[in-house]
Amino acid sequence: MARMVSYVSAAKLVSMARSNPRLAIIDVRDEERSLQAHIPGSHHFASGSFQARMPELARAAAAKDTLVFHCALSQVRGPKCARMFSDYLSEAKDDSAIKNVMVLERGFNGWEASGQPVCRCTDAPCKGTCC
């Protein structure tokens, strides 16, 4: 089943995350994640190694139905990884629970600029308890 990749605003993502425990946020920034903050509860799958780690992401997100990808601005890496993972799921033989693949509009920079919570922990994945 082909999955379309759509975009979601920071405000809408906050609302979705509150009402859907089966949503996961996937941060594909590379070294900037360790130098900057991140979205609480997000999982880190750096774009530089993303393709090789897609099976790991599929296992880690097996109980999720929505994945929201982002990078710094969600102009290149975030959308590219979202499309790549959507294609990966479409080609997989098993029927994944993941039905929605999305990209955070304006990425992490837009998230932070809009006043949404950020975390500076070093947990992998972030447990979201730092805020």
Side-chain angles (χ1 to χ4, degrees), residues 51-129:
Q51 188 168 11
R53 293 186 67 202
M54 286 193 299
E56 180 184 346
L57 175 56
R59 287 188 300 276
K64 305 298 182 181
D65 66 9
T66 301
L67 298 185
V68 180
F69 288 78
H70 77 85
C71 57
L73 300 172
S74 288
Q75 292 180 350
V76 179
R77 294 174 295 174
K80 178 181 178 183
C81 290
R83 284 190 301 273
M84 190 184 316
F85 193 69
S86 179
D87 290 346
Y88 173 82
L89 290 175
S90 294
E91 294 168 6
K93 299 294 181 209
D94 60 346
D95 187 27
S96 173
I98 301 166
K99 303 302 179 207
N100 304 301
V101 178
M102 307 176 91
V103 176
L104 174 61
E105 292 173 351
R106 300 178 54 224
F108 177 78
N109 293 358
W111 172 273
E112 187 174 36
S114 70
Q116 301 300 339
V118 299
C119 182
R120 287 178 167 66
C121 77
T122 57
D123 296 339
C126 173
K127 295 171 185 60
T129 57

